[in-house]
Amino acid sequence: MRKLRTALIGLGATASVVGGGLVGAPAAQAADTWQAHDKVCKALTGADAQSLGSACAEVQKRVTDAGSVNGYRGRVTVSPAAGQWVKPTTYNWSSGGLSQVCSGGCAQQTSAWTSAWSPVTTTAGTYTVRGEISGGYTFDVAASWSSWAQVAEKCATYTAGKFCVYRHERGYRDTMQERAKLTVAPAAGKWIEPRWVRVGTVMNGTNTYKTRVLCDPSCTRRTAGWSATVARTMPGLASPLELYASAKVALPSGDVKTIRASLFD
């Protein structure tokens, strides 16, 4: 973390004369700061929907004075219902393995309690906390999200230019998401007309997908680089399956082309 430097008279940061001119002390530099990023709370219930309290997963991001993010940290807060207890046990980031919330194990918390912040991770990801509740129940709650990861791509090049479709995936809180991205790069003096972009899965022969129509209210002939995306929560997966992203464009030749990037199990 960048050190905060202060210019205080009496601490050696006074102005000085150089070459006949007055030179001031160096300007102070701001330190990295922790800011709110995401917080998710879950009601904890037992038999017959009995309220046992609540648990929250909270993530902060570390922001530099230039505005970029260079770290994340997470913690858990529990609020047991009267006469109940909640015991956080482990947590993990989607980019790493399991760790104990408390070194040596947490005690059963019978009143509102907040853990220490986790060690800083520099990779964006989902922070998931697990634990036990009185009555023999367990819980998990997750906050934050990972960066989109590219898992498949397909490109095609014609006289009119080049277009590509990409499949991306990420963990978002306690779910997985999938996204398709279409990019077009028309050749000089040419155009490419995007029609739609789609993300989907084929499971046991059933094709489910989400399509973004790019001709609403009308199609646009793109003469410069351009992109569009569509995303959805990934359905529960079964086998055999195909994970894919696809798109359709029209070209000056009159041809209409479909491109598909996919992963098979």
Side-chain angles (χ1 to χ4, degrees):
M1 183 180 294
R2 186 173 301 172
K3 293 181 178 179
L4 178 63
R5 296 185 299 176
T6 56
L8 299 175
I9 296 176
L11 293 180
T14 56
S16 59
V17 177
V18 178
L22 184 65
V23 179
Q29 295 183 354
D32 295 353
T33 58
W34 286 103
Q35 299 179 11
H37 177 60
D38 193 32
K39 184 175 182 178
V40 176
C41 296
K42 178 181 289 188
L44 307 178
T45 57
D48 301 322
Q50 177 191 10
S51 175
L52 301 178
S54 64
C56 301
E58 180 183 3
V59 174
Q60 290 185 337
K61 58 185 177 182
R62 188 173 62 189
V63 183
T64 70
D65 56 343
S68 61
V69 178
N70 65 6
Y72 301 86
R73 64 182 183 180
R75 67 180 180 182
V76 57
T77 298
V78 297
S79 299
Q84 307 295 334
W85 57 262
V86 180
K87 178 182 177 181
T89 54
T90 60
Y91 73 88
N92 76 287
W93 294 92
S94 53
S95 56
L98 286 177
S99 299
Q100 289 188 322
V101 173
C102 306
S103 178
C106 297
Q108 295 178 354
Q109 308 298 328
T110 56
S111 59
W113 177 86
T114 300
S115 72
W117 290 105
S118 71
V120 178
T121 176
T122 57
T123 304
T126 298
Y127 170 75
T128 303
V129 180
R130 299 172 179 83
E132 303 169 356
I133 320 170
S134 52
Y137 301 99
T138 61
F139 75 90
D140 62 81
V141 60
S144 190
W145 47 88
S146 62
S147 301
W148 286 107
Q150 181 179 308
V151 296
E153 69 172 298
K154 187 68 174 292
C155 296
T157 302
Y158 297 90
T159 303
K162 179 180 180 180
F163 62 99
C164 301
V165 68
Y166 305 89
R167 178 181 172 83
H168 299 151
E169 297 176 1
R170 73 171 179 178
Y172 181 82
R173 295 179 173 172
D174 59 355
T175 64
M176 286 294 295
Q177 292 183 328
E178 56 185 359
R179 182 178 78 174
K181 181 177 182 179
L182 165 67
T183 64
V184 299
K190 302 292 184 177
W191 54 262
I192 297 176
E193 182 183 277
R195 294 289 180 87
W196 51 256
V197 60
R198 174 179 296 167
V199 65
T201 64
V202 180
M203 296 179 290
N204 295 322
T206 300
N207 186 7
T208 65
Y209 53 81
K210 182 177 180 180
T211 302
R212 178 181 172 187
V213 177
L214 304 174
C215 290
D216 185 14
S218 62
C219 299
T220 301
R221 294 177 176 179
R222 304 292 174 177
T223 57
W226 182 86
S227 68
T229 62
V230 61
R232 70 169 184 170
T233 297
M234 193 181 298
L237 301 181
S239 185
L241 60 87
E242 177 194 8
L243 310 173
Y244 72 89
S246 59
K248 178 178 283 188
V249 303
L251 305 176
S253 63
D255 292 332
V256 176
K257 301 293 185 179
T258 300
I259 192 171
R260 187 179 180 105
S262 66
L263 288 170
F264 292 86
D265 68 345

